[in-house]
Amino acid sequence: MTDALSGVRVLDAATLFAGPLAATLLADFGAEVIKIEHPRGDPVRGHGAQRDGVGLWWKMLGRGKKAVTLYLGSPEGQELFRRMAADADVVIENFRPGTLERWGLGYDALREINPRLVLARVTGFGQTGPYAGRPGFGTLAEAMSGFAAITGEPDGPPTLPPFGLADGIAALATAYAVLTALRAREATGTGQVVDLAIIEPILTLLGPQIIAYDQLGELQARTGNRSHNNAPRNIYRTRDGGWVAISTSAQSIAERVMRLVGRPELIDEPWFATGADRARHADELDEAVGSWVAARDRAEVVAAFEEAQAAVAPVYTAADVMDDPQFQALGTIATVPDDELGPVRMQNVLFRLSRTPGRIDWAGPPLGAHTAEILARYGADEAEQALLRAKGVIR
């Protein structure tokens, strides 16, 4: 069966997280993704946990990609990139605005070579505006979007996530933007530029903050694990030292929880009828639920909530995720072959399609593993490659 994105060729010239992860998502569903790295390698190869000197983050981020080294700052590297772009469908890059233009690889130049090309430009602040030239990382987006301002305890500081949240959201948005541009190309016959600023997609996911400020002058305050919109909603510690998360977004669920924990009389309180009113009585509701949870082990709590058809989830570590029967049933964790580490397990493709389901063919390959193969495709024979290697253009 043909893969969903079979025939789509992507040049992934981005580094670290947002742009490369977008390319990974496309590779998962059959796009041929050629990862173009500086001969030193993408910095993510040395980022985070290592096993025997092999970067584990790279194994996930580079999965399904063909690894090519190419120094784009050299005339030789630029000429090879033009050859590759001539029959590519998509280029993903995250250099500071103006860098590709300085190399003679801007959209105007690439469009002359390939009018159907989609150029996805993923930067911290976008291609225009007073901040466009600043270095941009997901952390800055998490701060500037308002995410950090509403995250954390009421009497504590703004809190950043301990992982690449804004980068991950931007990667999802970039993959969506690329597919949108490819769909538009079917109608118009021409490509276009995707200008994605990492500060923007996370802002969309934060919900109605902007319109609430515009219409009401309201600024959302930090509430820890509580919510302004419903209660009880929190993390509660169990007798055996575990933690569970409980949410009562639906009125019927809130009522079931109170019956389960032995406090049905609270349901009859006038303020219990809406989530916002319940949130104003979170102290009382948290005490009722928290004391009940604290008297039981985590497995007992989860089982009781399931029997009562109330919403609960244990707070998992990665080890718990690997062992959970629901994740196992969904195939959420894939075992992927790797020549350096042997079989490795990682998150599977994002979703299941009934006819073109997607798959992970290999984990992130060694630096330059496909350089000879790919450059030969574009006319660089062994002699030319040897010369390029001697000049440091490839590795």
Side-chain angles (χ1 to χ4, degrees):
M1 186 175 296
T2 302
D3 293 325
L5 298 180
S6 178
V8 174
R9 180 168 293 156
V10 178
L11 305 183
D12 173 11
T15 57
L16 291 173
F17 309 117
L21 181 55
T24 302
L25 302 177
L26 300 175
D28 285 347
F29 286 90
E32 182 190 34
V33 176
I34 300 172
K35 174 65 179 179
I36 297 176
E37 300 178 73
H38 190 285
R40 292 191 302 266
D42 189 312
V44 79
R45 288 182 178 272
H47 205 86
Q50 312 268 316
R51 179 186 161 200
D52 300 330
V54 177
L56 301 182
W57 205 331
W58 164 252
K59 287 298 174 186
M60 177 191 172
L61 198 60
R63 70 193 198 189
K65 300 180 183 180
K66 295 180 177 179
V68 173
T69 57
L70 191 63
Y71 176 45
L72 296 181
S74 68
E76 298 90 345
Q78 293 156 12
E79 174 55 30
L80 279 167
F81 187 85
R82 292 187 191 97
R83 294 186 213 171
M84 298 168 74
D87 71 349
D89 297 285
V90 180
V91 171
I92 300 176
E93 63 94 8
N94 69 338
F95 300 104
R96 289 199 201 182
T99 301
L100 283 187
E101 285 74 12
R102 190 168 66 249
W103 290 339
L105 302 175
Y107 183 66
D108 288 344
L110 296 179
R111 182 174 56 186
E112 290 184 9
I113 301 168
N114 181 0
R116 292 172 57 81
L117 184 70
V118 171
L119 176 61
R121 318 195 76 168
V122 185
T123 57
F125 301 101
Q127 297 295 308
T128 58
Y131 303 161
R134 293 183 181 180
F137 298 100
T139 297
L140 309 188
E142 288 145 12
M144 290 182 64
S145 64
F147 171 85
I150 65 170
T151 304
E153 295 300 323
D155 56 352
T159 302
L160 296 167
F163 66 102
L165 176 63
D167 281 304
I169 296 171
L172 291 167
T174 300
Y176 168 48
V178 164
L179 294 177
T180 301
L182 290 175
R183 176 65 182 88
R185 190 181 70 176
E186 293 180 10
T188 65
T190 59
Q192 59 185 299
V193 175
V194 172
D195 176 7
L196 191 135
I198 297 174
I199 57 173
E200 291 183 303
I202 187 173
L203 184 61
T204 297
L205 265 64
L206 289 177
Q209 288 192 59
I210 297 298
I211 192 170
Y213 180 70
D214 174 65
Q215 296 295 305
L216 304 172
E218 292 182 355
L219 293 173
Q220 184 173 333
R222 292 188 289 282
T223 56
N225 291 319
R226 290 178 171 177
S227 169
H228 291 287
N229 302 311
N230 68 83
R233 190 266 197 182
N234 214 324
I235 300 289
Y236 305 92
R237 192 176 185 98
T238 60
R239 180 172 59 190
D240 55 354
W243 297 89
V244 294
I246 294 171
S247 177
T248 57
S249 296
Q251 181 68 21
S252 60
I253 298 293
E255 294 175 4
R256 290 172 196 165
V257 169
M258 301 323 298
R259 292 190 187 99
L260 174 62
V261 303
R263 297 296 302 276
E265 75 280 2
L266 294 176
I267 298 172
D268 297 326
E269 294 287 347
W271 49 261
F272 198 87
T274 70
D277 282 340
R278 292 199 311 273
R280 284 187 275 272
H281 291 79
D283 287 342
E284 185 174 358
L285 294 171
D286 274 347
E287 192 284 326
V289 175
S291 60
W292 185 91
V293 169
R296 292 159 177 81
D297 292 344
R298 188 174 78 172
E300 182 183 356
V301 171
V302 172
F305 267 73
E306 289 182 351
E307 184 177 357
Q309 298 186 29
V312 68
V315 175
Y316 274 176
T317 64
D320 296 317
V321 170
M322 302 278 268
D323 291 337
D324 183 84
Q326 180 62 30
F327 285 124
Q328 291 172 0
L330 293 172
T332 305
I333 306 300
T335 299
V336 182
D338 183 68
D339 292 338
E340 293 180 289
L341 300 177
V344 295
R345 289 185 291 174
M346 65 180 68
Q347 298 93 319
N348 208 340
V349 300
L350 273 178
F351 44 82
R352 287 158 293 281
L353 297 180
S354 62
R355 292 180 58 83
T356 53
R359 65 184 182 276
I360 304 169
D361 289 326
W362 59 81
L367 181 63
H370 301 91
T371 299
E373 169 197 338
I374 297 299
L375 295 192
R377 179 195 296 176
Y378 293 100
D381 59 19
E382 290 185 11
E384 183 178 355
Q385 290 190 34
L387 182 61
L388 293 170
R389 194 168 287 109
K391 289 184 175 183
V393 177
I394 64 175
R395 176 172 171 175

